[in-house]
Amino acid sequence: MTDLRRDLAVLALAGGALLFLGLGSRDFGEPDEPDFALISREMLRSGDWIVPTRNGTPYSEKPPLLYWMVAGLGKLTGTGVNGWTGRLPSAACALMAVLAVYLAGRRWLSRDAGLFAALILLTMPLWLLKGRWLLTDMPLAGFLTVAILGLGRGLVEEGTAPAWWGFAALGLAVLAKGPMAIPLVAVVLGGAGLLLSRNPFRPLGRWILGGLLVLAIAAPWYLAVWRLAPRGFLEDCLGQNFRFVQTASHARPWHYYLPAVAYDLFPWSLPALAAIPLAWRARREKPALALALAWFLGMLGLLSLSTVKQGKYMLPFLPAAALLAGWTLVEGGSLTRWTGRLASWALLILAAALGVAAWSCPVPEFRGPLAGLAVAALVCSAAPAFLPGRTSVLAAALAAFYIAVVCLAEPVVGRLKSARPFSVAAARMAGPGSLAYYGDDLQAAFPFYADRKVDYVETSPEGLDRYLRAHPGGLVMMRARDRDRLGPVSDSLRVVLAARVGQDGMVAVRRAEGER
């Protein structure tokens, strides 16, 4: 038990440094973080924990688990919704999955395989990046990981029933992003059952009772919004999971995830992909490998069938890739050395690129962070050479580079992209009068940082003209390029505030005095 406590302590400390360090050091970034921050704050302030609202309008795209966690944490700490309370639930779910992968790998494969798998998952670029953002995807991935490991126990340990905590985690996954969590788990368990020629849904009595537990956790909110939410809210919420498969938004070709796996998992994509034939041959000797194969390939295939594709949708199968890679690096011999060399060369190339970028960067604020990252990448590129073939050393080198990114780059990027200064200034200038936003869609960062409800104006010059006639003295925020497209209407407007938010020039306008 001593090495178990030591390993858990190391992973907790490493995960805490990588996932929790500087969580509140930057403002919320578009497109999703301000949405979820605004919804959570409105839930906290209104006391309505059933029907989420965004800028005062019911928001049905996602179930409420993330909002509950963020708003609950804001209430518990008394600090409200900010960068720290908003991102902590995602970071905690990411670390929970890392620890779950370690415990499962240690139990089913070996101590080294479990430890390597956990370190690999923690230092996968996509996992680490999304674990530090306010998103629904990481709570989904975290609870799906625990659910699959708990419910797959009956397959891996023949004669053992699926764990109750696996069903509980599945219920929470449904509350995190919708009922699609259930078929995702079914695909994984069904695929593993085929690979092992076992029935994954035995004993039947445990599965029936477990299904009732899932319903007991997830169904009350769906029943509550059916009774309390506006007409069509529940249908739209449930329909989001089906539109995910067929909508044209974020449409990508079927092979989108194939190259994405290579670079979003780098440098661990090499052992993860190399593990597929090795795990296939060893699946009956090590049933956990069959579960990991079905998890990795099953979800990859299912997501590839969907029209809608985004990199963050890969999060639920990254723990499986980490388990496969961790086992392969224990069993793979020379593959470990090649992985280390490849990562070292990549870090060396990255150091050179960062150095050139620091020298030629036209934005002065970026030069210092880029130079610091170049030095960090250069130092880390040599780290595996000290102990060649040691996965833990390579993971430590990558972790050191990521911490440099967190400390040097994130605050600068957050400051340059933040909508806070412009929004606060616009709200102060509007005073008790109306404040509005004109554009293709209301960007939640503006009402969040203005700390008030913001009217959304119809996106047409005529709509803007009608709004300003109905709200004399009203202030309207918009992108500078949208103002340039207003035509004759712009002649009656006066720009009273201008600033840059990220790459967009923003202006606040009101009707010039004497204009009607």
Side-chain angles (χ1 to χ4, degrees), residues 287-431:
L289 297 176
L291 180 65
L293 276 175
W295 187 352
F296 182 28
L297 298 179
M299 283 196 183
L300 177 60
L302 191 62
L303 292 171
S304 295
L305 291 175
S306 168
T307 303
V308 184
K309 297 178 179 69
Q310 292 191 72
K312 63 184 180 180
Y313 295 163
M314 296 194 299
L315 289 173
F317 67 70
L318 295 193
L323 279 168
L324 291 170
W327 173 77
T328 303
L329 291 173
V330 172
E331 303 291 334
S334 61
L335 183 63
T336 306
R337 293 190 295 275
W338 278 107
T339 301
R341 291 170 185 168
L342 185 61
S344 294
W345 279 105
L347 286 166
L348 186 60
I349 294 170
L350 178 62
L354 288 168
V356 172
W359 177 267
S360 59
C361 183
V363 182
E365 293 91 342
F366 276 132
R367 291 172 186 162
L370 287 171
L373 292 178
V375 173
L378 182 63
V379 172
C380 291
S381 69
F386 296 119
L387 286 172
R390 292 297 299 273
T391 303
S392 55
V393 176
L394 176 56
L398 292 170
F401 176 73
Y402 295 146
I403 288 176
V405 172
V406 167
C407 295
L408 297 175
E410 273 196 353
V412 176
V413 174
R415 185 168 64 252
L416 293 177
K417 294 184 67 175
S418 176
R420 182 196 296 268
F422 177 80
S423 304
V424 171
R428 187 183 302 117
M429 193 168 290

Side-chain angles (χ1 to χ4, degrees), residues 62-69 136 139-140 143 168-182 214-223 237:
K62 303 290 189 297
L65 181 62
L66 178 65
Y67 318 139
W68 287 347
M69 292 191 289
T136 56
L140 172 68
F143 288 116
L170 180 56
L172 293 171
V174 172
L175 281 177
K177 209 166 179 180
M180 183 60 74
I182 295 175
V214 173
L215 287 174
I217 292 172
W221 178 76
Y222 287 93
L223 292 173
C237 182

Side-chain angles (χ1 to χ4, degrees), residues 164-191:
W164 292 113
W165 44 265
F167 291 108
L170 180 56
L172 293 171
V174 172
L175 281 177
K177 209 166 179 180
M180 183 60 74
I182 295 175
L184 285 175
V185 171
V187 165
V188 172
L189 298 180

Side-chain angles (χ1 to χ4, degrees), residues 39-53:
I39 294 165
S40 301
R41 189 176 69 187
E42 291 185 7
M43 179 175 284
L44 175 60
R45 290 181 175 178
S46 69
D48 184 350
W49 297 75
I50 302 299
V51 182
T53 62

Side-chain angles (χ1 to χ4, degrees), residues 236-310:
D236 188 58
C237 182
L238 293 172
Q240 289 297 324
N241 277 193
F242 298 101
R243 284 194 288 275
F244 160 81
V245 176
Q246 56 188 332
T247 184
S249 176
H250 301 297
R252 301 288 190 275
W254 68 269
H255 53 78
Y256 171 83
Y257 290 119
L258 299 182
V261 165
Y263 57 75
D264 278 329
L265 278 64
F266 186 84
W268 310 117
S269 45
L270 176 62
L273 295 173
I276 295 174
L278 300 176
W280 173 267
R281 291 195 293 268
R283 70 188 187 281
R284 296 192 182 277
E285 179 187 351
K286 297 281 189 180
L289 297 176
L291 180 65
L293 276 175
W295 187 352
F296 182 28
L297 298 179
M299 283 196 183
L300 177 60
L302 191 62
L303 292 171
S304 295
L305 291 175
S306 168
T307 303
V308 184
K309 297 178 179 69
Q310 292 191 72

